[in-house]
């Protein structure tokens, strides 16, 4: 495979992985969390605990970590090009979303796993987790848009 085709394949894979992750955060923001908001405290805590366990699987981690790794590789491959600047912007945006996950959402998930009164656990968890998830959704969607723009950057210059 030529170097140019290889770099487009990596960029395409990064875009797909980013789309999957942006979709996960988006679905949580506009469907999962609003639905859980209607639940009583015990149900809310139990379901979120279950989600936090179930989501830790190879398929999720492949896209969650793959979006970061593939975007990083693509940024390196396309450095110095118009597309490369878009990929670098995507890497920064998703790097921030990744950081938000590690610094805010995961510790909140861990705190929710502790024993305790469901009402108190929910009160500590819900509002900050939802807010930080919206941040991740926006950042990962921005990263996806940048990757999509990078896919078209080379074609716009050549007219293809």
């Amino acid at each position: 495979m030529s170097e140019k085709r290889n770099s487009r394949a990596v960029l395409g894979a990064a875009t797909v992985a980013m789309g999957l992750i942006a979709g996960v955060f988006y679905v949580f923001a506009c469907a999962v969390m609003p639905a859980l908001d209607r639940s009583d405290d015990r149900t809310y805590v139990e379901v979120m605990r279950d989600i936090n366990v179930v989501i830790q699987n190879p398929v999720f981690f492949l896209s969650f970590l793959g979006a970061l790794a593939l975007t990083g590789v693509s940024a390196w491959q396309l450095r110095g090009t118009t597309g490369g600047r878009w990929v670098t912007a995507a890497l920064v945006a998703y790097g921030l979303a990744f950081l938000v996950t590690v610094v805010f959402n995961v510790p909140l998930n861990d705190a929710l796993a502790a024993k305790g009164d469901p009402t108190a656990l929910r009160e500590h968890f819900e509002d900050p987790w939802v807010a930080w998830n919206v941040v991740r959704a926006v950042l990962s969607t921005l990263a996806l848009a940048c990757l999509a723009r990078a896919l078209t950057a080379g074609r716009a210059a050549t007219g293809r």
Side-chain angles (χ1 to χ4, degrees):
M1 185 183 291
S2 75
E3 189 174 320
K4 186 173 183 174
R5 287 176 78 179
N6 182 48
S7 64
R8 290 201 54 81
V10 172
L11 175 56
T15 305
V16 169
M18 194 67 70
L20 292 170
I21 289 304
V24 167
F25 297 150
Y26 175 78
V27 166
F28 267 89
C30 56
V32 174
M33 299 314 287
L36 281 176
D37 186 52
R38 297 176 174 198
S39 301
D40 64 78
D41 296 339
R42 186 187 58 72
T43 301
Y44 181 96
V45 170
E46 285 178 11
V47 170
M48 278 308 299
R49 284 176 175 165
D50 288 343
I51 289 171
N52 291 335
V53 170
V54 170
I55 203 162
Q56 295 181 51
N57 66 71
V59 174
F60 174 76
F61 283 126
L62 183 62
S63 54
F64 181 66
L65 298 172
L68 186 63
L70 289 164
T71 303
V73 169
S74 185
W76 175 256
Q77 288 176 327
L78 297 172
R79 68 193 179 281
T81 67
T82 301
R85 289 190 286 278
W86 286 105
V87 176
T88 299
L91 182 61
V92 170
Y94 187 61
L96 290 171
F98 193 91
L99 188 64
V100 165
T101 300
V102 171
V103 172
F104 299 107
N105 293 92
V106 170
L108 286 165
N109 292 345
D110 292 344
L112 191 66
K115 292 189 188 283
D117 173 55
T119 301
L121 288 169
R122 181 179 182 171
E123 189 172 302
H124 173 76
F125 175 87
E126 187 173 19
D127 288 343
W129 195 95
V130 167
W132 286 116
N133 183 67
V134 169
V135 171
R136 323 189 274 187
V138 169
L139 288 168
S140 59
T141 301
L142 175 62
L144 176 60
C146 289
L147 290 173
R149 179 62 183 99
L151 281 170
T152 63
R155 292 175 188 244
T158 63
R160 288 188 231 160

